[in-house]
Amino acid sequence: MSLLNHAPIPELYVSYESAQKLKHEAAALPSWDLTQRQVCDLELLMNGGFWPLKGFMTQADYQGVVEKMRLADGTLFPIPITLDVSEAFAEKVAPGQDIALRDAEGVILAILSITDKWVPDKAHEAEKVFGADDLAHPAVNYLHNTAGKVYLGGPIIGIQPPVHYDFKARRDTPNELRALFRKLGWRKVVAFQTRNPLHRAHQELTFRAAREAEANLLIHPVVGMTKPGDVDHFTRVRCYEAVLDKYPAQTTALSLLNLAMRMAGPREAVWHGIIRRNHGCTHMIVGRDHAGPGKNSQGKDFYDPYAAQELFRSHQAEIGIEMVDFKHMVYVQEKAQYYPANEIPEGSTVLDISGTELRRRLREGLEIPEWFSFPEVVAELRKTSPPRSKQGFTVFFTGLSGSGKSTIANALMVKLMEMGGRPVTLLDGDVVRKHLSSELGFSKEHRDINIRRIGYVASEITKNGGIAICAPIAPYAATRRAVREMIEAFGAFVEVHVATSLEECERRDRKGLYKLAREGKIREFTGISDPYEAPEAPELRVDTENVDVDHCAHQVLLKLEQMGLIRA
């Protein structure tokens, strides 16, 4: 088995001369611009990472994979690799046609010869592949809300790989890794799949796994797409590079895998095994809850913690790779070293820090002990995750017209500027209308676009460590949620509902808008002819009736202090 994995593997690329000719001819073909996930899939199709696939799956292959993890010819393959496109594009193409597959910049990567076109039953796919049609699962959410409605299948002609500008020397194709292992004389190679930074416990378990299998170690982290909320891959790769010299130099290699994970638990583990075999590995570490996405919408784990190991073990002969058990490693205080959780000496004190606790310590700038992680790794994590009081954040006021949002936002801005330390930007409705959205009207659609623009600007301010204060009406819950998700990728989002009643807003009517709305001169006016969906769980609700502005702004400050965003 071990020698088999070192022979070159078939790729889908044509020769340089043919590629130049095809690039020229492809100008006349219909083009599909690939999504980030499709680019990841295509790269692994073309370089042999998904071998034996020779293209995006046909309907027969797709159905076999969904139902019983097998291609139409019976070969084991657990995850559907399909090209999803929009209905509008699907209408323009048909089986028997070629299309050009391009990256986001329009650079041609491959040509797909369409053999199949169909509308999948996505609920059924979710049920079978991910175990539940539950939107709390990131891949199920992607399937229903991001992926196109129509699938295209057929063989691929590879023209050129996608360009990566980062960590070029760390990216290897399956054949490049196989050649490296041949050159180093590595017969046995154990792969460690990861999407998280490596801490001491990971280093201990990878050490042990390699030692038990008498194998060399390939640290093979995923840098394509992982789970929303994961540490970005630039930070992670810097962390991996920081720990590489903690391993014996001649026995360990680091290579990056441009895979778009699906977080499909047991099926994903088998898939990872096939991919690692294609990259020339002979063994793979499979952990507790391997590639699990966390909790489902009922608050329970999506997969049993050992289901991935069981499924992998039952197929390992066919995958062509041996599974190495991932021992959960814990630190024993009295012995000052790591032990597998099932071999702890009796009566000893076990220390452990969970992922949640680690994030809390980073957020609050607390100490992270050396027994838990290497100082070099902690230093990298602190760069991208400074304590909350040094991070950017957004305060998002929402409420009816005339509720006092702008007035409180102005007062808050002045108070934050007085404190100093971070730039503060006020994105007030009227100012935004003038500079960002002058061409928009006040229809529901245009108001939504306006709010999303405000959200985008606020997310950039937050990402760059500033404070954004927004005060639009923002009547719709779905739009506010979209803005929250945009901003929470980079920092805290503090929603403040200015809960002034409609009667009070109409009594104030500073701009005379309510009067015009009542007379029918303003259509679709929030609170009169258009609904206002009050936030169900804002971070703060303030009431402005019979309360001065200063007090309201101070309540917001207290909330920011309580959340650790500003220092007392």
Side-chain angles (χ1 to χ4, degrees), residues 489-534:
F490 306 113
F493 179 83
V494 186
E495 185 174 42
V496 181
H497 179 206
V498 183
T500 315
S501 68
L502 178 64
E503 297 71 37
E504 174 66 15
C505 292
E506 207 167 340
R507 192 184 61 71
R508 295 177 186 172
D509 203 7
R510 273 189 316 139
K511 299 177 186 171
L513 297 174
Y514 283 96
K515 183 170 177 291
L516 293 173
R518 290 283 182 205
E519 291 165 4
K521 289 179 184 160
I522 302 180
R523 290 176 38 234
E524 296 187 84
F525 189 78
T526 302
I528 305 294
S529 49
D530 211 48
Y532 176 76
E533 298 167 7

mmCIF file of all heavy atoms in Angstrom, residues 489-534:
data_model
loop_
_atom_site.group_PDB
_atom_site.id
_atom_site.type_symbol
_atom_site.label_atom_id
_atom_site.label_comp_id
_atom_site.label_asym_id
_atom_site.label_seq_id
_atom_site.Cartn_x
_atom_site.Cartn_y
_atom_site.Cartn_z
ATOM 1 N N ALA A 489 -18.086 39.795 11.505
ATOM 2 C CA ALA A 489 -16.888 39.117 11.000
ATOM 3 C C ALA A 489 -15.632 39.850 11.482
ATOM 4 O O ALA A 489 -14.544 39.277 11.510
ATOM 5 C CB ALA A 489 -16.923 39.082 9.474
ATOM 6 N N PHE A 490 -15.763 41.138 11.871
ATOM 7 C CA PHE A 490 -14.579 41.939 12.202
ATOM 8 C C PHE A 490 -14.581 42.524 13.614
ATOM 9 O O PHE A 490 -13.562 43.004 14.082
ATOM 10 C CB PHE A 490 -14.444 43.099 11.204
ATOM 11 C CG PHE A 490 -14.443 42.651 9.775
ATOM 12 C CD1 PHE A 490 -15.494 42.976 8.925
ATOM 13 C CD2 PHE A 490 -13.399 41.880 9.278
ATOM 14 C CE1 PHE A 490 -15.497 42.546 7.592
ATOM 15 C CE2 PHE A 490 -13.388 41.452 7.955
ATOM 16 C CZ PHE A 490 -14.441 41.789 7.115
ATOM 17 N N GLY A 491 -15.730 42.509 14.279
ATOM 18 C CA GLY A 491 -15.777 43.122 15.613
ATOM 19 C C GLY A 491 -17.190 43.071 16.155
ATOM 20 O O GLY A 491 -18.070 42.424 15.587
ATOM 21 N N ALA A 492 -17.411 43.807 17.252
ATOM 22 C CA ALA A 492 -18.709 43.734 17.917
ATOM 23 C C ALA A 492 -19.748 44.603 17.208
ATOM 24 O O ALA A 492 -19.427 45.642 16.627
ATOM 25 C CB ALA A 492 -18.576 44.173 19.371
ATOM 26 N N PHE A 493 -20.992 44.134 17.255
ATOM 27 C CA PHE A 493 -22.124 44.868 16.696
ATOM 28 C C PHE A 493 -23.081 45.127 17.853
ATOM 29 O O PHE A 493 -23.558 44.185 18.482
ATOM 30 C CB PHE A 493 -22.794 44.012 15.617
ATOM 31 C CG PHE A 493 -24.004 44.662 14.971
ATOM 32 C CD1 PHE A 493 -23.845 45.566 13.937
ATOM 33 C CD2 PHE A 493 -25.297 44.345 15.387
ATOM 34 C CE1 PHE A 493 -24.953 46.151 13.321
ATOM 35 C CE2 PHE A 493 -26.413 44.923 14.778
ATOM 36 C CZ PHE A 493 -26.237 45.832 13.738
ATOM 37 N N VAL A 494 -23.324 46.390 18.154
ATOM 38 C CA VAL A 494 -24.176 46.736 19.299
ATOM 39 C C VAL A 494 -25.440 47.402 18.753
ATOM 40 O O VAL A 494 -25.423 48.542 18.296
ATOM 41 C CB VAL A 494 -23.435 47.700 20.259
ATOM 42 C CG1 VAL A 494 -24.264 47.936 21.518
ATOM 43 C CG2 VAL A 494 -22.062 47.145 20.617
ATOM 44 N N GLU A 495 -26.538 46.631 18.812
ATOM 45 C CA GLU A 495 -27.796 47.164 18.286
ATOM 46 C C GLU A 495 -28.528 47.895 19.412
ATOM 47 O O GLU A 495 -28.729 47.337 20.491
ATOM 48 C CB GLU A 495 -28.656 46.000 17.764
ATOM 49 C CG GLU A 495 -29.930 46.447 17.075
ATOM 50 C CD GLU A 495 -30.694 45.267 16.444
ATOM 51 O OE1 GLU A 495 -30.788 44.196 17.081
ATOM 52 O OE2 GLU A 495 -31.185 45.424 15.329
ATOM 53 N N VAL A 496 -28.886 49.147 19.144
ATOM 54 C CA VAL A 496 -29.602 49.942 20.148
ATOM 55 C C VAL A 496 -30.969 50.305 19.572
ATOM 56 O O VAL A 496 -31.067 51.018 18.562
ATOM 57 C CB VAL A 496 -28.825 51.235 20.508
ATOM 58 C CG1 VAL A 496 -29.591 52.023 21.573
ATOM 59 C CG2 VAL A 496 -27.426 50.896 21.000
ATOM 60 N N HIS A 497 -32.012 49.787 20.193
ATOM 61 C CA HIS A 497 -33.365 50.103 19.730
ATOM 62 C C HIS A 497 -33.848 51.349 20.468
ATOM 63 O O HIS A 497 -34.007 51.339 21.697
ATOM 64 C CB HIS A 497 -34.312 48.922 20.009
ATOM 65 C CG HIS A 497 -35.731 49.195 19.586
ATOM 66 N ND1 HIS A 497 -36.814 48.567 20.170
ATOM 67 C CD2 HIS A 497 -36.241 50.037 18.646
ATOM 68 C CE1 HIS A 497 -37.933 49.019 19.602
ATOM 69 N NE2 HIS A 497 -37.611 49.910 18.682
ATOM 70 N N VAL A 498 -34.033 52.442 19.728
ATOM 71 C CA VAL A 498 -34.574 53.664 20.331
ATOM 72 C C VAL A 498 -36.095 53.515 20.286
ATOM 73 O O VAL A 498 -36.743 53.733 19.261
ATOM 74 C CB VAL A 498 -34.084 54.913 19.562
ATOM 75 C CG1 VAL A 498 -34.596 56.179 20.244
ATOM 76 C CG2 VAL A 498 -32.555 54.925 19.515
ATOM 77 N N ALA A 499 -36.643 53.080 21.434
ATOM 78 C CA ALA A 499 -38.015 52.555 21.447
ATOM 79 C C ALA A 499 -39.072 53.629 21.709
ATOM 80 O O ALA A 499 -40.002 53.429 22.486
ATOM 81 C CB ALA A 499 -38.114 51.445 22.491
ATOM 82 N N THR A 500 -38.923 54.790 21.080
ATOM 83 C CA THR A 500 -39.917 55.849 21.241
ATOM 84 C C THR A 500 -41.202 55.446 20.511
ATOM 85 O O THR A 500 -41.137 54.955 19.378
ATOM 86 C CB THR A 500 -39.368 57.165 20.643
ATOM 87 O OG1 THR A 500 -38.023 57.320 21.083
ATOM 88 C CG2 THR A 500 -40.189 58.359 21.075
ATOM 89 N N SER A 501 -42.352 55.676 21.138
ATOM 90 C CA SER A 501 -43.620 55.221 20.540
ATOM 91 C C SER A 501 -43.970 56.061 19.307
ATOM 92 O O SER A 501 -43.504 57.206 19.160
ATOM 93 C CB SER A 501 -44.746 55.343 21.563
ATOM 94 O OG SER A 501 -44.986 56.726 21.819
ATOM 95 N N LEU A 502 -44.811 55.491 18.459
ATOM 96 C CA LEU A 502 -45.241 56.185 17.243
ATOM 97 C C LEU A 502 -45.945 57.507 17.607
ATOM 98 O O LEU A 502 -45.691 58.542 16.978
ATOM 99 C CB LEU A 502 -46.185 55.273 16.442
ATOM 100 C CG LEU A 502 -46.753 55.886 15.147
ATOM 101 C CD1 LEU A 502 -45.643 56.165 14.143
ATOM 102 C CD2 LEU A 502 -47.791 54.956 14.517
ATOM 103 N N GLU A 503 -46.788 57.469 18.662
ATOM 104 C CA GLU A 503 -47.544 58.671 19.061
ATOM 105 C C GLU A 503 -46.565 59.807 19.396
ATOM 106 O O GLU A 503 -46.734 60.945 18.964
ATOM 107 C CB GLU A 503 -48.425 58.394 20.294
ATOM 108 C CG GLU A 503 -49.516 57.339 20.085
ATOM 109 C CD GLU A 503 -48.969 55.919 19.959
ATOM 110 O OE1 GLU A 503 -47.979 55.588 20.670
ATOM 111 O OE2 GLU A 503 -49.497 55.148 19.125
ATOM 112 N N GLU A 504 -45.534 59.464 20.168
ATOM 113 C CA GLU A 504 -44.559 60.475 20.598
ATOM 114 C C GLU A 504 -43.783 61.011 19.387
ATOM 115 O O GLU A 504 -43.574 62.219 19.256
ATOM 116 C CB GLU A 504 -43.607 59.862 21.637
ATOM 117 C CG GLU A 504 -42.445 60.749 22.073
ATOM 118 C CD GLU A 504 -42.871 62.003 22.838
ATOM 119 O OE1 GLU A 504 -44.036 62.082 23.301
ATOM 120 O OE2 GLU A 504 -42.036 62.908 22.954
ATOM 121 N N CYS A 505 -43.369 60.104 18.474
ATOM 122 C CA CYS A 505 -42.626 60.534 17.273
ATOM 123 C C CYS A 505 -43.488 61.473 16.429
ATOM 124 O O CYS A 505 -43.012 62.474 15.894
ATOM 125 C CB CYS A 505 -42.215 59.327 16.428
ATOM 126 S SG CYS A 505 -40.978 58.288 17.217
ATOM 127 N N GLU A 506 -44.800 61.119 16.353
ATOM 128 C CA GLU A 506 -45.700 61.935 15.532
ATOM 129 C C GLU A 506 -45.971 63.283 16.201
ATOM 130 O O GLU A 506 -46.098 64.301 15.529
ATOM 131 C CB GLU A 506 -47.012 61.156 15.306
ATOM 132 C CG GLU A 506 -47.682 61.574 14.021
ATOM 133 C CD GLU A 506 -48.809 60.641 13.587
ATOM 134 O OE1 GLU A 506 -48.870 59.467 14.033
ATOM 135 O OE2 GLU A 506 -49.634 61.113 12.798
ATOM 136 N N ARG A 507 -45.965 63.260 17.537
ATOM 137 C CA ARG A 507 -46.200 64.509 18.272
ATOM 138 C C ARG A 507 -45.007 65.448 18.035
ATOM 139 O O ARG A 507 -45.181 66.646 17.819
ATOM 140 C CB ARG A 507 -46.368 64.184 19.763
ATOM 141 C CG ARG A 507 -46.910 65.355 20.598
ATOM 142 C CD ARG A 507 -46.961 64.992 22.079
ATOM 143 N NE ARG A 507 -45.643 64.670 22.638
ATOM 144 C CZ ARG A 507 -44.686 65.564 22.846
ATOM 145 N NH1 ARG A 507 -44.852 66.851 22.519
ATOM 146 N NH2 ARG A 507 -43.524 65.195 23.363
ATOM 147 N N ARG A 508 -43.781 64.878 18.022
ATOM 148 C CA ARG A 508 -42.585 65.710 17.805
ATOM 149 C C ARG A 508 -42.528 66.204 16.360
ATOM 150 O O ARG A 508 -42.255 67.366 16.117
ATOM 151 C CB ARG A 508 -41.308 64.890 18.072
ATOM 152 C CG ARG A 508 -41.158 64.452 19.519
ATOM 153 C CD ARG A 508 -39.915 63.587 19.687
ATOM 154 N NE ARG A 508 -39.810 63.035 21.026
ATOM 155 C CZ ARG A 508 -38.897 62.125 21.380
ATOM 156 N NH1 ARG A 508 -38.024 61.679 20.506
ATOM 157 N NH2 ARG A 508 -38.856 61.684 22.623
ATOM 158 N N ASP A 509 -42.715 65.265 15.430
ATOM 159 C CA ASP A 509 -42.688 65.510 13.973
ATOM 160 C C ASP A 509 -41.834 66.718 13.560
ATOM 161 O O ASP A 509 -42.313 67.648 12.909
ATOM 162 C CB ASP A 509 -44.129 65.660 13.444
ATOM 163 C CG ASP A 509 -44.208 65.348 11.935
ATOM 164 O OD1 ASP A 509 -43.184 64.899 11.375
ATOM 165 O OD2 ASP A 509 -45.275 65.559 11.336
ATOM 166 N N ARG A 510 -40.544 66.677 13.898
ATOM 167 C CA ARG A 510 -39.647 67.815 13.665
ATOM 168 C C ARG A 510 -39.580 68.216 12.191
ATOM 169 O O ARG A 510 -39.501 69.391 11.868
ATOM 170 C CB ARG A 510 -38.226 67.451 14.115
ATOM 171 C CG ARG A 510 -37.964 67.713 15.597
ATOM 172 C CD ARG A 510 -36.504 67.541 15.903
ATOM 173 N NE ARG A 510 -35.978 66.339 15.246
ATOM 174 C CZ ARG A 510 -34.779 66.290 14.648
ATOM 175 N NH1 ARG A 510 -34.029 67.350 14.597
ATOM 176 N NH2 ARG A 510 -34.362 65.169 14.088
ATOM 177 N N LYS A 511 -39.597 67.220 11.296
ATOM 178 C CA LYS A 511 -39.424 67.543 9.872
ATOM 179 C C LYS A 511 -40.767 67.629 9.131
ATOM 180 O O LYS A 511 -40.788 67.787 7.915
ATOM 181 C CB LYS A 511 -38.546 66.470 9.203
ATOM 182 C CG LYS A 511 -37.141 66.375 9.792
ATOM 183 C CD LYS A 511 -36.363 65.248 9.143
ATOM 184 C CE LYS A 511 -35.016 65.042 9.830
ATOM 185 N NZ LYS A 511 -34.335 63.829 9.350
ATOM 186 N N GLY A 512 -41.878 67.463 9.877
ATOM 187 C CA GLY A 512 -43.195 67.540 9.236
ATOM 188 C C GLY A 512 -43.502 66.365 8.318
ATOM 189 O O GLY A 512 -44.381 66.436 7.460
ATOM 190 N N LEU A 513 -42.755 65.243 8.503
ATOM 191 C CA LEU A 513 -42.918 64.106 7.592
ATOM 192 C C LEU A 513 -44.186 63.304 7.888
ATOM 193 O O LEU A 513 -44.849 62.811 6.976
ATOM 194 C CB LEU A 513 -41.690 63.188 7.677
ATOM 195 C CG LEU A 513 -40.362 63.822 7.251
ATOM 196 C CD1 LEU A 513 -39.204 62.859 7.511
ATOM 197 C CD2 LEU A 513 -40.390 64.196 5.765
ATOM 198 N N TYR A 514 -44.494 63.166 9.191
ATOM 199 C CA TYR A 514 -45.682 62.370 9.555
ATOM 200 C C TYR A 514 -46.943 63.019 8.980
ATOM 201 O O TYR A 514 -47.838 62.342 8.482
ATOM 202 C CB TYR A 514 -45.794 62.222 11.072
ATOM 203 C CG TYR A 514 -44.825 61.197 11.630
ATOM 204 C CD1 TYR A 514 -43.595 61.575 12.161
ATOM 205 C CD2 TYR A 514 -45.145 59.838 11.618
ATOM 206 C CE1 TYR A 514 -42.701 60.635 12.654
ATOM 207 C CE2 TYR A 514 -44.263 58.889 12.111
ATOM 208 C CZ TYR A 514 -43.031 59.293 12.627
ATOM 209 O OH TYR A 514 -42.158 58.358 13.111
ATOM 210 N N LYS A 515 -46.980 64.372 9.051
ATOM 211 C CA LYS A 515 -48.143 65.097 8.525
ATOM 212 C C LYS A 515 -48.308 64.773 7.039
ATOM 213 O O LYS A 515 -49.397 64.441 6.572
ATOM 214 C CB LYS A 515 -47.913 66.601 8.744
ATOM 215 C CG LYS A 515 -49.062 67.497 8.313
ATOM 216 C CD LYS A 515 -48.797 68.939 8.806
ATOM 217 C CE LYS A 515 -49.878 69.895 8.332
ATOM 218 N NZ LYS A 515 -49.822 70.106 6.862
ATOM 219 N N LEU A 516 -47.189 64.829 6.288
ATOM 220 C CA LEU A 516 -47.247 64.537 4.851
ATOM 221 C C LEU A 516 -47.660 63.085 4.600
ATOM 222 O O LEU A 516 -48.408 62.802 3.659
ATOM 223 C CB LEU A 516 -45.879 64.814 4.203
ATOM 224 C CG LEU A 516 -45.445 66.282 4.165
ATOM 225 C CD1 LEU A 516 -44.003 66.404 3.665
ATOM 226 C CD2 LEU A 516 -46.367 67.110 3.259
ATOM 227 N N ALA A 517 -47.168 62.165 5.451
ATOM 228 C CA ALA A 517 -47.503 60.748 5.277
ATOM 229 C C ALA A 517 -48.996 60.519 5.523
ATOM 230 O O ALA A 517 -49.649 59.770 4.789
ATOM 231 C CB ALA A 517 -46.671 59.892 6.228
ATOM 232 N N ARG A 518 -49.534 61.193 6.567
ATOM 233 C CA ARG A 518 -50.964 61.055 6.875
ATOM 234 C C ARG A 518 -51.817 61.601 5.725
ATOM 235 O O ARG A 518 -52.907 61.097 5.453
ATOM 236 C CB ARG A 518 -51.327 61.813 8.166
ATOM 237 C CG ARG A 518 -50.776 61.192 9.445
ATOM 238 C CD ARG A 518 -51.555 59.981 9.872
ATOM 239 N NE ARG A 518 -51.051 59.422 11.138
ATOM 240 C CZ ARG A 518 -51.207 58.169 11.492
ATOM 241 N NH1 ARG A 518 -51.845 57.323 10.692
ATOM 242 N NH2 ARG A 518 -50.747 57.719 12.647
ATOM 243 N N GLU A 519 -51.299 62.617 5.047
ATOM 244 C CA GLU A 519 -52.048 63.207 3.929
ATOM 245 C C GLU A 519 -51.851 62.402 2.632
ATOM 246 O O GLU A 519 -52.353 62.777 1.574
ATOM 247 C CB GLU A 519 -51.599 64.658 3.698
ATOM 248 C CG GLU A 519 -52.019 65.602 4.829
ATOM 249 C CD GLU A 519 -51.275 66.941 4.788
ATOM 250 O OE1 GLU A 519 -50.491 67.157 3.836
ATOM 251 O OE2 GLU A 519 -51.486 67.757 5.708
ATOM 252 N N GLY A 520 -51.039 61.316 2.728
ATOM 253 C CA GLY A 520 -50.817 60.474 1.551
ATOM 254 C C GLY A 520 -49.797 61.053 0.586
ATOM 255 O O GLY A 520 -49.655 60.595 -0.546
ATOM 256 N N LYS A 521 -49.054 62.094 1.029
ATOM 257 C CA LYS A 521 -48.085 62.722 0.124
ATOM 258 C C LYS A 521 -46.732 62.004 0.142
ATOM 259 O O LYS A 521 -45.901 62.218 -0.734
ATOM 260 C CB LYS A 521 -47.914 64.203 0.490
ATOM 261 C CG LYS A 521 -49.152 65.025 0.124
ATOM 262 C CD LYS A 521 -49.004 66.489 0.493
ATOM 263 C CE LYS A 521 -50.297 67.250 0.213
ATOM 264 N NZ LYS A 521 -50.356 68.495 0.977
ATOM 265 N N ILE A 522 -46.499 61.185 1.198
ATOM 266 C CA ILE A 522 -45.299 60.327 1.197
ATOM 267 C C ILE A 522 -45.786 58.889 1.243
ATOM 268 O O ILE A 522 -46.495 58.505 2.180
ATOM 269 C CB ILE A 522 -44.389 60.590 2.433
ATOM 270 C CG1 ILE A 522 -43.940 62.046 2.489
ATOM 271 C CG2 ILE A 522 -43.167 59.669 2.390
ATOM 272 C CD1 ILE A 522 -43.040 62.355 3.686
ATOM 273 N N ARG A 523 -45.415 58.109 0.202
ATOM 274 C CA ARG A 523 -45.840 56.710 0.190
ATOM 275 C C ARG A 523 -44.824 55.867 0.943
ATOM 276 O O ARG A 523 -43.678 56.264 1.128
ATOM 277 C CB ARG A 523 -45.987 56.225 -1.248
ATOM 278 C CG ARG A 523 -47.188 56.883 -1.932
ATOM 279 C CD ARG A 523 -47.388 56.545 -3.395
ATOM 280 N NE ARG A 523 -47.075 55.154 -3.702
ATOM 281 C CZ ARG A 523 -46.217 54.805 -4.658
ATOM 282 N NH1 ARG A 523 -45.611 55.725 -5.374
ATOM 283 N NH2 ARG A 523 -45.970 53.537 -4.912
ATOM 284 N N GLU A 524 -45.244 54.693 1.392
ATOM 285 C CA GLU A 524 -44.356 53.745 2.086
ATOM 286 C C GLU A 524 -43.575 54.424 3.221
ATOM 287 O O GLU A 524 -42.354 54.373 3.259
ATOM 288 C CB GLU A 524 -43.354 53.118 1.095
ATOM 289 C CG GLU A 524 -44.001 52.267 0.014
ATOM 290 C CD GLU A 524 -42.982 51.528 -0.856
ATOM 291 O OE1 GLU A 524 -42.541 50.445 -0.428
ATOM 292 O OE2 GLU A 524 -42.624 52.022 -1.922
ATOM 293 N N PHE A 525 -44.297 55.094 4.115
ATOM 294 C CA PHE A 525 -43.625 55.768 5.224
ATOM 295 C C PHE A 525 -43.649 54.869 6.465
ATOM 296 O O PHE A 525 -44.712 54.398 6.882
ATOM 297 C CB PHE A 525 -44.310 57.111 5.525
ATOM 298 C CG PHE A 525 -43.537 57.960 6.505
ATOM 299 C CD1 PHE A 525 -42.411 58.671 6.087
ATOM 300 C CD2 PHE A 525 -43.911 58.020 7.844
ATOM 301 C CE1 PHE A 525 -41.693 59.441 6.991
ATOM 302 C CE2 PHE A 525 -43.195 58.784 8.750
ATOM 303 C CZ PHE A 525 -42.073 59.497 8.331
ATOM 304 N N THR A 526 -42.474 54.621 7.052
ATOM 305 C CA THR A 526 -42.376 53.679 8.171
ATOM 306 C C THR A 526 -43.246 54.122 9.352
ATOM 307 O O THR A 526 -43.141 55.266 9.810
ATOM 308 C CB THR A 526 -40.908 53.539 8.627
ATOM 309 O OG1 THR A 526 -40.140 53.105 7.510
ATOM 310 C CG2 THR A 526 -40.776 52.532 9.760
ATOM 311 N N GLY A 527 -44.061 53.189 9.828
ATOM 312 C CA GLY A 527 -44.910 53.461 10.987
ATOM 313 C C GLY A 527 -46.314 53.878 10.591
ATOM 314 O O GLY A 527 -47.249 53.754 11.369
ATOM 315 N N ILE A 528 -46.463 54.419 9.352
ATOM 316 C CA ILE A 528 -47.794 54.857 8.896
ATOM 317 C C ILE A 528 -48.309 53.877 7.839
ATOM 318 O O ILE A 528 -49.253 53.131 8.072
ATOM 319 C CB ILE A 528 -47.751 56.297 8.309
ATOM 320 C CG1 ILE A 528 -47.154 57.284 9.333
ATOM 321 C CG2 ILE A 528 -49.145 56.748 7.866
ATOM 322 C CD1 ILE A 528 -47.978 57.514 10.583
ATOM 323 N N SER A 529 -47.640 53.849 6.664
ATOM 324 C CA SER A 529 -48.108 52.956 5.594
ATOM 325 C C SER A 529 -47.151 51.793 5.368
ATOM 326 O O SER A 529 -47.326 51.013 4.452
ATOM 327 C CB SER A 529 -48.251 53.767 4.304
ATOM 328 O OG SER A 529 -47.071 54.523 4.096
ATOM 329 N N ASP A 530 -46.104 51.701 6.172
ATOM 330 C CA ASP A 530 -45.116 50.634 6.016
ATOM 331 C C ASP A 530 -44.721 50.157 7.415
ATOM 332 O O ASP A 530 -44.627 50.960 8.338
ATOM 333 C CB ASP A 530 -43.895 51.185 5.260
ATOM 334 C CG ASP A 530 -43.237 50.100 4.421
ATOM 335 O OD1 ASP A 530 -43.965 49.393 3.695
ATOM 336 O OD2 ASP A 530 -42.007 49.941 4.513
ATOM 337 N N PRO A 531 -44.485 48.843 7.581
ATOM 338 C CA PRO A 531 -44.254 48.336 8.943
ATOM 339 C C PRO A 531 -42.872 48.699 9.499
ATOM 340 O O PRO A 531 -41.930 48.957 8.752
ATOM 341 C CB PRO A 531 -44.343 46.819 8.761
ATOM 342 C CG PRO A 531 -43.954 46.585 7.340
ATOM 343 C CD PRO A 531 -44.458 47.776 6.578
ATOM 344 N N TYR A 532 -42.769 48.730 10.820
ATOM 345 C CA TYR A 532 -41.472 48.782 11.496
ATOM 346 C C TYR A 532 -41.378 47.506 12.328
ATOM 347 O O TYR A 532 -42.214 47.271 13.200
ATOM 348 C CB TYR A 532 -41.353 50.011 12.409
ATOM 349 C CG TYR A 532 -40.043 49.998 13.188
ATOM 350 C CD1 TYR A 532 -38.839 50.341 12.565
ATOM 351 C CD2 TYR A 532 -39.999 49.577 14.522
ATOM 352 C CE1 TYR A 532 -37.633 50.280 13.256
ATOM 353 C CE2 TYR A 532 -38.793 49.515 15.214
ATOM 354 C CZ TYR A 532 -37.615 49.865 14.574
ATOM 355 O OH TYR A 532 -36.414 49.804 15.246
ATOM 356 N N GLU A 533 -40.384 46.657 12.006
ATOM 357 C CA GLU A 533 -40.222 45.409 12.759
ATOM 358 C C GLU A 533 -39.266 45.666 13.921
ATOM 359 O O GLU A 533 -38.059 45.773 13.718
ATOM 360 C CB GLU A 533 -39.680 44.305 11.835
ATOM 361 C CG GLU A 533 -40.627 43.984 10.681
ATOM 362 C CD GLU A 533 -39.986 43.135 9.581
ATOM 363 O OE1 GLU A 533 -38.836 42.668 9.774
ATOM 364 O OE2 GLU A 533 -40.630 42.946 8.534
ATOM 365 N N ALA A 534 -39.820 45.792 15.119
ATOM 366 C CA ALA A 534 -38.977 46.126 16.282
ATOM 367 C C ALA A 534 -38.005 44.981 16.567
ATOM 368 O O ALA A 534 -38.373 43.809 16.463
ATOM 369 C CB ALA A 534 -39.862 46.384 17.497
#
